[in-house]
Amino acid sequence: MAVAAFHQAIGTPHSSLHHEFRENSLRLNSNSFRLEIGVSRRGCHRSDQRNFCVVQASTSQTSVFDPVSSPSTNNTNNSKKKSNETALILMRHGESLWNEKNLFTGCVDVPLTKKGVEEAIEAGKRISNIPVDMIYTSALIRAQMTAMLAMTQHRRRKVPIIIHNESEQARTWSEIFSEDTKRQSIPVIAAWQLNERMYGELQGLNKQETADRYGKEQVHEWRRSYDIPPPNGESLEMCAERAVAYFKDQIEPQLLSGKNVMIAAHGNSLRSIIMYLDKLTSQEVISLELSTGIPMLYIFKEGKFIRRGSPVAPTEAGVYAYTRGLAQYRQKLDEMFH
Ligand SMILES: O=C(O)[C@@H](CO)OP(=O)(O)O
């Protein structure tokens, strides 16, 4: 993205650029960034006469969505759907017990604090009027807790259900036998590829003590540079190799086929995905910081990702992260649930 334009838009000195998606980033609504989409479309089969659509992704994950309720899925004709917009929500997990203690966490599987639980619920309120047909989380509990807690606030009241594809038995033992119930569910796919960057020998160390010991600059380099890994850990570049590949292979096809997607993941796995979506350079990504529990909305339309900022609370009047399609969806929810 054009950093100068961003800097101009938010009126901050270039050096203090932080791409935090708080309310001020909503001013970037008109920014859009071209992406090369080189993905194959997945099959969408009519499984019954009521437009119930079962999509078999390449990982053999079976997902369901309800075409009636989402603005992007008004019919099952893929060629028509392609011209429609779909929503992509990115959400960093709420505060974890190790965020609170200021410890390097990486792939250590730590739960949320009470504050993190509240952040996840608050994030859920902010996206409660945005359609969600599929959820992707990392394999780590803090991202999964965040996604589940956020969905307790969603006005559509669909039930997020974790898909277990790890074995044939897991698949059959978690089968649902009602098409109606499936329509009221949101498949949740947990993928290790979306995990936090593996922090190597820094995992479990206190961030301040590490800076005192190795120097602030060295630690900043380990934490924020693109290609310098922490000792025996992953650089952002290495993290991007798996997280962005997963996004391109598994998530983009879902967006292309008309589904609205939420991703609940981590500071660095999401930084790498945003770097891809916004075409940031390895220099620009250094200053990209994500807050815990702040949802970020992108619209995927005609092969482009358009950043809309962070949706504000549903009670607020000027929800200008919304597009016309999303406003209509919200209106439909008002009619359905009032
Ligand atoms: O400790 C971690 O795993 C990450 C995210 O909390 O920290 P950092 O901000 O240093 O990338």
Side-chain angles (χ1 to χ4, degrees), residues 245-277:
Y246 186 84
F247 182 85
K248 288 187 197 172
D249 292 348
Q250 303 297 325
I251 302 178
E252 266 185 22
Q254 302 294 351
L255 292 162
L256 261 178
S257 73
K259 292 209 224 165
N260 302 287
V261 173
M262 177 167 95
I263 305 175
H266 304 266
N268 295 294
S269 53
L270 289 174
R271 283 173 74 228
S272 71
I273 290 171
I274 291 171
M275 185 180 179
Y276 166 67
L277 298 178

Side-chain angles (χ1 to χ4, degrees), residues 6 12-13 17 19 49 61 75 83 89 95 101 113 129 133 142 192 194 233 249 266 269 327:
F6 182 100
T12 54
L17 175 68
H19 301 244
Q49 292 308 306
Q61 292 146 345
N75 59 59
S83 63
I89 299 163
E95 183 196 67
K101 288 180 183 294
T113 58
N129 287 297
D133 301 311
R142 57 193 186 274
W192 69 267
L194 299 173
D249 292 348
H266 304 266
S269 53

Side-chain angles (χ1 to χ4, degrees), residues 92-93 99 103-107 142 196-197 199 207 223-224 267-268 271 289:
R92 184 182 170 201
H93 62 81
N99 289 143
L103 305 184
F104 284 102
T105 315
C107 287
R142 57 193 186 274
E196 181 53 293
R197 155 247 285 272
Y199 249 119
K207 289 176 184 173
R223 293 181 68 187
R224 290 295 170 264
N268 295 294
R271 283 173 74 228
E289 294 282 349

Side-chain angles (χ1 to χ4, degrees), residues 25-44:
S25 63
L26 291 173
R27 292 180 206 167
L28 297 170
N29 282 355
S30 60
N31 282 359
S32 69
F33 310 101
R34 219 189 147 62
L35 289 176
E36 311 302 328
I37 306 292
V39 291
S40 59
R41 190 95 59 76
R42 305 292 183 248
C44 182

